Amino acid sequence: MFIDERIALLEDYLNKLCRDGVFPGAVFSLVDSQSCYINYLGKAQLVPEEEYVNENTIYDLASLTKVIATTTAIMMLIERGYFTLDSLISDLLPRYTVPGVTIRHLLTHTSGHDADIDCKGMTREELIDAVYDSKIDPNRYNKMVLYSDIGYILLGFIVDRVTGSFKNFVSEDLFKPLEMTETFFNPKKEYQKRCASTEFCAMRGKFIKGIVHDEKCYVLGGVSGHAGLFSTAKDLSKFVNMLLNDGEYNGKLILNKQTIETMVKCYTENMGPERGLGWIVLGDNNRFCDFASDYSIYHTGFTGTSIMVDLKAKKGFILLTNRVHPSRENVKLIEFRRNINNMAFSAIK
């Protein structure tokens, strides 16, 4: 149930942020266990021509790919017996030779791998080689959280190898039963015109619209475990609704309730930022909402997206923006995320 006067306050606040240049436009969704409220504001593109946002604007989710697609796929495969949280990556990927790194390490960003790879000038094969050649820092391994795209690229490789196709597995086994018909990698041409634009990319020499913003994912062909997914607020609301209903959607079981409970535990005590499996969990280092219960999870995407879910209070909030348009130098959104999240959860009874 949603509170009209609180929704009005949230919408006024988001409109003010839009006018102040925090982001060009946004679509948001308030979600409870039964329904959702979706609204939109601002522009999907500023240059070269202005285009306005609507309820069906498609956004580049960036790192929300990590939790929507990759983490969920990994947990589904664990449920199906393909591996465990403590399975060694070297047993699952023959080209991976670093000893001791497990599925759990990659999901919690405690593997010791670097955060990123500079892929400028690389071919797809060269980037894949660089991922496999990436070493770990023994001072970080299993001792501290370092958010790593490399780890999630490897998780995507694992889903790919086990199922035959990471892209097909999430499309058929996850998005299809959730009726997420407008969630995909590499949007087809008929969908690209509905996409919010991201920044001017020097590597590609143009503004990016309907093509993945993340450079590593682009080099990998638009499909990766760390980025690449596109979606709408309506589709993502179905995903959140599934989590709020203990893993079920319209009578279809996507994840077992105990699997979700396993995902949202904190695995990184005294290692820095509190992390569950894939998700950020509430803690002293992660105060993403003042009104969320301790049974809450959160994640953001570089392009200006975020998802917050309180599994105890049965509340969810999705915010899709293209704050990187026309430039990633606009980082104003970071300081307002907690305010926005507080207002959003206050609007759900």
Side-chain angles (χ1 to χ4, degrees), residues 29-36 38 68 174-183 231-245 247-250 252 254 307 318:
S29 180
L30 306 172
V31 188
D32 63 19
S33 59
Q34 302 298 323
S35 60
C36 66
I38 298 174
I68 302 300
L174 178 58
F175 303 145
K176 188 173 181 178
L178 284 174
E179 300 168 26
M180 295 170 68
T181 58
E182 296 185 330
T183 302
S231 190
T232 64
K234 181 179 179 181
D235 267 14
L236 293 176
S237 298
K238 297 173 183 178
F239 180 87
V240 171
N241 186 263
M242 176 271 292
L243 292 176
L244 294 178
N245 284 285
E248 290 190 29
Y249 181 80
N250 278 353
K252 292 163 284 191
I254 308 300
I307 289 185
I318 298 155

Side-chain angles (χ1 to χ4, degrees), residues 119-266:
C119 66
K120 186 176 181 181
M122 285 187 181
T123 64
R124 181 177 185 274
E125 291 70 25
E126 288 169 341
L127 179 52
I128 291 172
D129 289 344
V131 170
Y132 279 117
D133 291 341
S134 174
K135 307 303 180 187
I136 66 168
D137 183 340
N139 295 316
R140 296 193 302 244
Y141 168 72
N142 207 34
K143 297 175 183 175
M144 64 175 287
V145 172
L146 180 66
Y147 184 81
S148 174
D149 279 358
I150 296 172
Y152 262 80
I153 293 171
L154 288 165
L155 287 170
F157 288 171
I158 289 169
V159 179
D160 215 43
R161 187 166 190 271
V162 167
T163 68
S165 170
F166 171 52
K167 177 183 176 181
N168 290 346
F169 179 75
V170 295
S171 296
E172 293 298 317
D173 288 52
L174 178 58
F175 303 145
K176 188 173 181 178
L178 284 174
E179 300 168 26
M180 295 170 68
T181 58
E182 296 185 330
T183 302
F184 31 60
F185 296 95
N186 290 326
K188 295 179 181 178
K189 284 189 177 180
E190 60 263 33
Y191 291 109
Q192 288 181 2
K193 60 185 178 183
R194 285 175 45 197
C195 292
S197 293
T198 53
E199 72 173 333
F200 182 85
C201 177
M203 186 175 85
R204 288 170 269 183
K206 61 181 179 180
F207 281 102
I208 304 304
K209 180 181 175 68
I211 301 170
V212 65
H213 171 265
D214 183 273
E215 291 91 346
K216 294 186 299 299
C217 184
Y218 177 74
V219 172
L220 290 169
V223 181
S224 180
H226 77 291
L229 204 62
F230 287 73
S231 190
T232 64
K234 181 179 179 181
D235 267 14
L236 293 176
S237 298
K238 297 173 183 178
F239 180 87
V240 171
N241 186 263
M242 176 271 292
L243 292 176
L244 294 178
N245 284 285
D246 298 329
E248 290 190 29
Y249 181 80
N250 278 353
K252 292 163 284 191
L253 184 66
I254 308 300
L255 289 172
N256 190 280
K257 179 182 178 181
Q258 288 179 305
T259 303
I260 297 173
E261 292 172 350
T262 301
M263 287 167 56
V264 303
K265 294 177 183 177
C266 179

